[in-house]
Amino acid sequence: RKEVEQDPGPFNVPEGATVAFNCTYSNSASQSFFWYRQDCRKEPKLLMSVYSSGNEDGRFTAQLNRASQYISLLIRDSKLSDSATYLCVVERVSNTGKLIFGQGTTLQVKP
Amino acid sequence: NAGVTQTPKFQVLKTGQSMTLQCAQDMNHEYMSWYRQDPGMGLRLIHYSVGAGITDQGEVPNGYNVSRSTTEDFPLRLLSAAPSQTSVYFCASSPWTSGRIVSYNEQFFGPGTRLTVL
């Protein structure tokens, strides 16, 4: 079993739709969680950190459920520019920078 | 600032050849790391460094060497290339102090090197 698992998709949604991605992690000792965005043939970029209390950044909301060991990302009012691969990332040991990446979920927003 | 730069962008090697992938950053970040990205596998940590003269292994270090003689540079060496090392390689950097990443919001990846080993 992979340490961080995501549904690879693709998720095909129309503009304006709300879409949610889930990610599960197996190491209960993990402390830090992130969502990265990766455009086709580009480097990953941090989208947002995920906090225990949940956090929101504009149209994006991230949630953490430690009991069930999953992280979610909700995108509201999808834009064409949201089309990308979204990577769930977990830090194996706190503050070491040893990041474990999921394989990514691909989102395609259609006009 | 140029951020994190990587050279070359593309490389084709024959099995058994050696080469060095270059990575440099101009943000004075202490923490630097190398990842490889393969289809269906996500990014996997190869080696990392928390400062000049300090390196350590990640998840998949076999077949790769690193050194960190300066804060700015963190080259990755393939000693004897194998087809299994065909991948996209990313270098990343972050500020690091007192034994911890200062802020993940300041973690930067380079544009990647696409390596094919025949």
Side-chain angles (χ1 to χ4, degrees):
Chain A
R1 183 188 170 191
K2 292 180 181 175
E3 193 164 342
V4 177
E5 293 204 72
Q6 297 181 251
D7 179 349
F11 285 62
N12 295 302
V13 303
E15 269 187 294
T18 295
V19 62
F21 307 137
N22 285 334
C23 163
T24 58
Y25 61 95
S26 60
N27 188 342
S28 60
S30 300
Q31 294 293 320
S32 302
F33 309 90
F34 312 92
W35 283 102
Y36 275 71
R37 171 189 169 130
Q38 187 174 26
D39 293 309
C40 188
R41 300 180 73 79
K42 298 286 189 181
E43 70 273 22
K45 293 184 179 177
L46 180 66
L47 178 66
M48 57 198 306
S49 301
V50 186
Y51 304 119
S52 297
S53 55
N55 47 303
E56 188 174 309
D57 183 2
R59 297 181 293 108
F60 298 83
T61 300
Q63 298 278 355
L64 168 64
N65 184 318
R66 285 189 184 272
S68 301
Q69 294 182 208
Y70 80 79
I71 308 145
S72 64
L73 178 68
L74 182 77
I75 305 175
R76 290 181 297 278
D77 189 21
S78 298
K79 312 290 185 193
L80 295 176
S81 58
D82 293 335
S83 298
T85 296
Y86 291 84
L87 306 172
C88 173
V89 184
V90 173
E91 188 177 26
R92 179 177 281 167
V93 179
S94 189
N95 290 318
T96 60
K98 290 185 178 179
L99 302 179
I100 308 300
F101 284 76
Q103 67 178 79
T105 297
T106 299
L107 172 66
Q108 186 67 43
V109 182
K110 308 279 190 188
Chain B
N1 287 350
V4 179
T5 58
Q6 291 183 237
T7 55
K9 285 187 167 52
F10 301 93
Q11 183 71 50
V12 179
L13 292 178
K14 293 181 180 177
T15 297
Q17 286 185 313
S18 62
M19 79 158 296
T20 299
L21 308 186
Q22 302 291 345
C23 175
Q25 51 90 12
D26 60 0
M27 298 170 283
N28 203 33
H29 286 170
E30 293 293 330
Y31 186 95
M32 296 186 73
S33 54
W34 276 102
Y35 293 86
R36 60 178 288 175
Q37 185 173 33
D38 303 295
M41 297 292 294
L43 279 81
R44 291 180 291 170
L45 182 65
I46 305 171
H47 285 286
Y48 67 100
S49 167
V50 300
I54 306 168
T55 63
D56 206 346
Q57 296 181 348
E59 293 178 83
V60 289
N62 292 341
Y64 307 95
N65 274 359
V66 292
S67 59
R68 185 91 180 273
S69 55
T70 67
T71 299
E72 294 79 18
D73 300 297
F74 191 41
L76 178 72
R77 279 184 291 278
L78 280 69
L79 307 173
S80 178
S84 60
Q85 293 178 304
T86 293
S87 189
V88 181
Y89 292 85
F90 289 102
C91 177
S93 76
S94 307
W96 170 275
T97 188
S98 301
R100 61 187 295 272
I101 294 277
V102 173
S103 168
Y104 280 95
N105 289 323
E106 295 183 67
Q107 184 158 29
F108 299 95
F109 280 80
T113 294
R114 283 166 175 75
L115 176 69
T116 300
V117 182
L118 302 176

